[in-house]
Amino acid sequence: MKRSILIHPDPRLKKVADPVPDSSDELRSLADDMLETMYAAPGIGLAAPQVGILQRLIVLDCVKEEGATPRPLTMFNPRVLSSSDERNVYEEGCLSLPEMYADVERPAEVTVEWMDRDGRAQTETFDGLWATCVQHEIDHLDGKLFIDYLRPLKRQMITRKMVKLKRELAWEKV
Ligand code: K1U
Ligand code: ZN
């Protein structure tokens, strides 16, 4: 089932999400909904707070090439174990900030630990777009958006645009 994605500003996007106690059918079903929502958007990642659930769950699939085999990942309680000193700049987007993009600098490589759908511990080192995306999604679990890395003026400008967009979307519903 596709879920609706919260648009910034929303207080739920600023909260720190709670750890997931264990994997369960309910959480696997939520992860499936999030993957469906992410692919439909389309996007390469999604965090549970973006669909209004304040739990530490993210999904991602950064395989973008037409015809390539998808690699959907579901991560419960993801945690960055180590980050490279080398940094990378990527023009990020966010499904909670439609049509807003900005360059963000982050560690180029990160090693992440998480619990998979079956409750097993996993560890992997990511680079390139995968590294950028997994850090962006983990930030969502800590109530942080990519605009929080920007200068205050740019952040305010984007926030104003989003307030206007939300007002317009609310009017469309009437
Ligand atoms: O968390 C999100 O809001 C999803 C976001 C993830 C992300 C994008 C870029 C850099 C870091 C994290 C998105 O997926 S925005 C949409 C997007 O980037 C995209 C959409 C279709 C094809 C390829 C990319
Ligand atoms: Zn995002």
Side-chain angles (χ1 to χ4, degrees):
M1 179 187 71
K2 238 174 74 181
R3 309 235 177 176
S4 17
I5 298 174
L6 299 178
I7 306 292
H8 167 74
D10 185 295
R12 288 167 286 183
L13 293 172
K14 301 304 298 170
K15 297 230 163 79
V16 176
D18 293 324
V20 162
D22 209 347
S23 64
S24 63
D25 286 343
E26 199 187 331
L27 285 169
R28 274 187 286 272
S29 169
L30 170 62
D32 289 341
D33 286 356
M34 286 170 54
L35 281 166
E36 188 182 337
T37 307
M38 177 192 85
Y39 285 125
I44 54 171
L46 193 67
Q50 292 179 279
V51 294
I53 311 281
L54 291 173
Q55 294 204 289
R56 300 189 80 81
L57 160 60
I58 64 172
V59 295
L60 62 159
D61 185 349
C62 297
V63 176
K64 290 202 295 183
E65 302 78 26
E66 270 295 310
T69 310
R71 193 192 176 211
L73 286 182
T74 296
M75 300 184 176
F76 297 112
N77 303 330
R79 195 164 68 94
V80 174
L81 294 180
S82 62
S83 313
S84 63
D85 291 335
E86 190 197 336
R87 296 176 73 87
N88 203 9
V89 176
Y90 194 89
E91 190 181 51
E92 297 194 13
C94 181
L95 297 175
S96 295
L97 293 144
E99 285 167 42
M100 297 295 135
Y101 303 91
D103 282 351
V104 177
E105 189 186 298
R106 300 180 186 269
E109 225 178 71
V110 283
T111 301
V112 179
E113 173 193 73
W114 73 94
M115 178 173 70
D116 71 13
R117 301 173 63 92
D118 305 313
R120 286 189 293 247
Q122 302 285 348
T123 307
E124 188 172 330
T125 300
F126 295 98
D127 62 11
L129 181 56
W130 285 90
T132 296
C133 187
V134 76
Q135 292 174 82
H136 175 116
E137 301 311 330
I138 293 173
D139 271 355
H140 274 301
L141 303 181
D142 293 322
K144 197 163 182 180
L145 300 173
F146 82 80
I147 55 168
D148 295 325
Y149 293 96
L150 309 180
R151 284 196 299 270
L153 212 62
K154 175 112 199 228
R155 188 163 63 236
Q156 277 163 25
M157 192 192 76
I158 292 178
T159 299
R160 274 195 211 112
K161 282 190 181 161
M162 290 297 102
V163 168
K164 190 163 170 267
L165 173 72
K166 284 181 82 170
R167 217 182 286 136
E168 284 161 8
L169 291 174
W171 270 107
E172 276 173 23
K173 280 194 194 146
V174 179

